[in-house]
Amino acid sequence: MAIDFKAIEAKWIPKYEGYKAFEAEDLDATREKQYALVEFPYPSGAGLHVGHAFSMTGTDVYARFSRMKGKNVLFPMGWDSFGLPTENFAIKSGIKPQVATKQNTDTFRKQMKQLGFSFDWRREIDTTFPEYYKWTQWIFVKLFEKGLAEKKEMPINWCPKDKIGLANEEVVNGKCERCGTQVERRTQSQWIVKITAYADRLIEGLKNTNFIEKVKAAQINWIDRKEGMKVRFKLNDEVGVGNGDSRNVEYVEVFTSRPDTLEGATFMVVAPEHPLVNEIATPRHGEARNDEVVEYVEKVKRKSEMERTDLAKEKTGVFSGLYAVNPLTGKEIPIWIADYVLITYGTGAIMSVPSHDERDGEFAKKYKLPIDWKYKPDTTMAERIEKEGWGEKAVGYHLRDWIFSRQHYWGEPIPMIWCEKDGWVAVPEDQLPVRLPEVEKYQPTDTGESPLASIQEWVKTVCPRCGGLARRETDTMPNWAGSDWYFLRFLDPKNDNAIADMEKQKYWLPVDLYVGGDEHNTLHLLYSRFIYQFLWDLGAVPKEYPEPYKKRISHGIILGPDGARMSKSKGNVILPDVLADMYGADALRTYMMFMGPFDATMAWSERSLMGVRRFLNRFYDYVEKKAGEARDEESEEKVKVVINRLVKEVGEDIVEFKYNTAIAKLMTAINDLEVGGKIGRGDLRSLVQVLAPFAPFVAEELWEKLGGEFSVHGTRWPGYEEKYLVTETVTISVQVNGKLRGTVVAAPAAVESAVRMEAEKQEKIQKYLTGGIKNVVYIQGKTINFVV
Ligand code: ANZ
């Protein structure tokens, strides 16, 4: 009979409301704690997508298993609800983002319950709730107080369609990650959070984690620490400026990772945004305006960083009109302005060594600049540079400071006040949260100002320091702000006096398992480690734990049935709630975990899903049938071997996230059991328990049929007996009246009756037994002696 999945789900889902075993118990010293975290979703209007369903099922299996192993499991869920899609939806539909968010999270929660995720719903959080973002703002105030947040003019990546500044990480091949529009460069006054101050620690701290290698590598490569030197090149005033005019720029300082090539530096290049360029372009003493430079700089400023550093793109540049002196050779070298040098890296200026650096070589060829082919790199040069006082050791990072402003409505207001007299002043702690006011229009403005700027009564405020008239910051925070500390809030979601109570933090931290996507290895994961390290410095998180996450693993990616990435335009999107409705949540869950290794890229297959569904039906039928037959008697030997091995191996597979092989073993077990053999009630129960993490509803229903009390998910994972696990065989000698007459191959645990039966089957032994057997002496696994 086919399982009525819908009916089973409808029967059990309400029973899990407020079910104790899914609730993590704070400070329970009697059990080992287990904090299992899966990235919380952005609740879009489209509902849960298959990627969510996959990663959450994977973490749910782990959480359920850990509970059955007796651990106190914290498995929470919440909503990362600020962000552009909801804002865009509000612009189009006129529906308030608050209202849309409520609708979306209601849908997500319902779908998650339908899919059987065993979250502790008492701890649900929403980043858009003032009780939550009060602490997101508090962290910002602390960053500001410690000098790690400041507002400054920054060249930013600008998406002209979304009208939003983008972090470098959000620009993919020069295009906006969200909408695919070509990104432009713009200069805008922005809040910057100095993550670069933590660059070394973000690398070092990885030693205290058990992240999978590719995640560690992604972070290290992203930070990209380079040891090198800063070297100063004196400006050659006479030639460069003429008339011996005094300039505020005396030196151009470069960052180089190759001080050994100093002799080969035949020209210099500065970024178009370099302060020196401003000096040239802005005439002060009656010089002619350098139009060529001004035009060039304007043109380059519109290009994205990605375009500028693309090796395939042709480099462009312009001569600055200035010269500097190579401190080693004493030669005068021209200073160029070029797009391939970035203001955000090193010092924004380089010494060009066209004979050794490919980019410099290309540039020199194009503009016919001098190249020294004769000199040889000199490894003693670094020492010499220091001794002569030309420069010193320095470290460069590719990691950039974090642009923390958005000129958008749907985000956390940045809790800062601008006072003409006092400058930027943080909103005092006791006035947090700064609530996001309701507005009429959500449309960002072309001027780059947030819609909040138009609410005069909100903007106008008083300076907390001098009491004078002041203005609120109208920028809001980027979408990573609410997610960079959310794992702490689950520990104590209602606390109004702290991010989370220190005792609770000490109990639950660090996160034991964090499951998420590779796309977050460099963004969210790095930001949240940084914020945690910052909170650690403040003493706001436990001193014992310098890192927030112990283990991080990546979940796999599910492609459409056509093997392509799922996308609406391709029409290959699989909707988990629709499939759960059609085939049953358990069939969907078990199929997803069976598709392949948990971190693989896999194509969707409805046929395989049907296959898994058939397996669940067979499993159900088997248990139901045997439940009627089996009372309390013991299972027979071969059945015991099947069950004991299954218990052991599935348990081992789950802790290694080898869900696909665990399910394959469940399938094999059912095949073996269906062949026949008596199974006792205890073993039937074990069988159901082993299925429970994967197919929680079916397992619950069968548990009930076996007379188990609600709920199977509150039971302990069954034990197993070693003696049934041995897979090798032994050769047992068969004697008749003490004389060796043959052998039998059997399991070491084989019982007398089984060995006797095997022996009696053999013709060459049979002929000695014709006289009738008086007695049998069996030494387990060794000999069997027939006395005739
Ligand atoms: C001289 C030199 C000779 C360099 C040589 C390299 C090779 P990476 O690329 O990570 O090794 N550089 C420094 N600041 C830059 C900026 N703002 N924009 C673009 N390029 C910049 O970084 C270090 C090297 O990148 C530096 O060392 C500098 O070129 C260049 F055979 O100096 B080198």
Side-chain angles (χ1 to χ4, degrees), residues 6-66:
K6 281 275 96 194
I8 295 180
E9 288 163 23
K11 171 176 165 189
W12 293 110
I13 288 172
K15 298 227 164 49
Y16 299 126
E17 290 293 332
Y19 173 51
K20 266 260 161 295
F22 296 163
E23 295 181 349
E25 203 174 317
D26 288 324
L27 313 183
D28 177 358
T30 64
R31 287 180 294 169
E32 192 186 327
K33 68 93 184 177
Q34 168 79 255
Y35 188 174
L37 184 67
V38 56
E39 285 173 354
F40 69 157
Y42 175 77
S44 76
L48 211 61
H49 64 65
V50 75
H52 295 133
F54 180 79
S55 59
M56 288 173 192
T57 302
T59 321
D60 185 62
V61 169
Y62 194 83
R64 286 175 183 274
F65 174 74
S66 299

Side-chain angles (χ1 to χ4, degrees), residues 177-411:
E177 183 191 54
R178 292 194 192 79
C179 69
T181 306
Q182 187 70 38
V183 168
E184 292 173 1
R185 294 293 278 182
R186 232 189 192 194
T187 309
Q188 188 125 21
S189 181
Q190 301 275 9
W191 284 98
I192 301 297
V193 169
K194 296 178 190 165
I195 186 173
T196 48
Y198 280 67
D200 283 342
R201 266 173 74 187
L202 288 168
I203 295 174
E204 281 298 302
L206 289 172
K207 290 192 188 126
N208 299 322
T209 72
N210 183 16
F211 292 4
I212 54 170
E213 277 313 312
K214 74 169 164 182
V215 176
K216 279 191 192 177
Q219 296 212 336
I220 291 169
N221 291 339
W222 186 260
I223 297 168
D224 196 8
R225 183 180 196 278
K226 279 267 163 59
E227 300 209 358
M229 291 191 93
K230 280 185 178 166
V231 183
R232 286 175 291 276
F233 287 63
K234 204 170 184 324
L235 272 184
N236 200 343
D237 262 2
E238 269 186 285
V239 185
V241 182
N243 314 330
D245 208 1
S246 72
R247 290 272 171 182
N248 8 350
V249 189
E250 263 187 66
Y251 292 94
V252 180
E253 193 176 44
V254 304
F255 174 71
T256 176
S257 54
R258 295 287 309 273
D260 58 316
T261 63
L262 178 60
E263 194 184 338
T266 48
F267 61 98
M268 294 177 79
V269 183
V270 298
E273 300 88 351
H274 193 279
L276 182 67
V277 175
N278 217 19
E279 294 292 319
I280 305 159
T282 321
R284 289 183 305 180
H285 300 287
E287 312 99 331
R289 207 175 101 106
N290 192 332
D291 286 336
E292 207 190 339
V293 169
V294 174
E295 260 168 49
Y296 177 74
V297 168
E298 281 312 310
K299 202 177 76 200
V300 174
K301 274 186 180 164
R302 286 190 295 271
K303 287 193 194 175
S304 76
E305 201 160 284
M306 216 52 89
E307 262 180 289
R308 286 172 51 174
T309 49
D310 188 343
L311 286 176
K313 287 243 165 77
E314 195 173 321
K315 290 163 190 52
T316 64
V318 63
F319 177 47
S320 71
L322 300 181
Y323 291 85
V325 177
N326 181 323
L328 178 65
T329 62
K331 281 193 190 133
E332 186 182 82
I333 58 176
I335 303 175
W336 279 64
I337 301 164
D339 54 359
Y340 75 99
V341 173
L342 305 172
I343 190 64
T344 44
Y345 184 52
T347 59
I350 67 167
M351 62 179 210
S352 295
V353 187
S355 51
H356 274 86
D357 185 278
E358 201 184 324
R359 296 164 296 182
D360 298 342
E362 249 177 70
F363 193 74
K365 229 190 261 158
K366 179 168 174 188
Y367 292 105
K368 310 216 163 26
L369 293 164
I371 306 178
D372 181 351
W373 293 110
K374 286 196 299 273
Y375 94 97
K376 290 261 172 336
D378 175 0
T379 49
T380 65
M381 195 52 65
E383 237 170 84
R384 167 109 188 255
I385 291 169
E386 280 196 302
K387 212 177 76 213
E388 304 272 1
W390 299 333
E392 48 279 323
K393 287 207 179 86
V395 176
Y397 303 94
H398 274 282
L399 178 73
R400 303 296 150 79
D401 279 332
W402 182 5
I403 297 176
F404 211 78
S405 290
R406 294 296 160 99
Q407 291 71 42
H408 273 261
Y409 171 71
W410 192 228

Side-chain angles (χ1 to χ4, degrees), residues 576-587:
D577 56 320
V578 172
L579 284 158
D581 264 343
M582 272 166 70
Y583 300 116
D586 281 353

Side-chain angles (χ1 to χ4, degrees), residues 1 18 94 100 108 171 189 248 368 376 441 530 600 603 664 721 782:
M1 236 186 52
F108 267 66
V171 180
S189 181
N248 8 350
K368 310 216 163 26
K376 290 261 172 336
K441 272 177 55 217
F530 158 58
E721 285 182 84
K782 294 216 165 63

Side-chain angles (χ1 to χ4, degrees), residues 45 144 151 167 172 286 400 429 473 485 538 572 616 716 728:
F144 176 74
K151 198 163 192 188
V172 177
R400 303 296 150 79
E429 257 175 62
E473 173 57 83
W485 67 279
L538 285 184
N572 61 353
L616 287 177
R716 283 303 183 89
E728 339 85 278

Side-chain angles (χ1 to χ4, degrees), residues 583-594:
Y583 300 116
D586 281 353
L588 176 65
R589 286 173 60 112
T590 310
Y591 163 63
M592 286 190 297
M593 296 301 100
F594 182 60

Side-chain angles (χ1 to χ4, degrees), residues 703-735:
W703 187 250
E704 189 187 47
K705 284 189 191 299
L706 289 170
E709 262 175 51
F710 181 81
S711 151
V712 67
H713 304 295
T715 63
R716 283 303 183 89
W717 190 256
Y720 56 83
E721 285 182 84
E722 286 294 336
K723 67 175 180 189
Y724 296 114
L725 302 178
V726 189
T727 46
E728 339 85 278
T729 52
V730 288
T731 304
I732 297 166
S733 54
V734 181
Q735 302 174 357

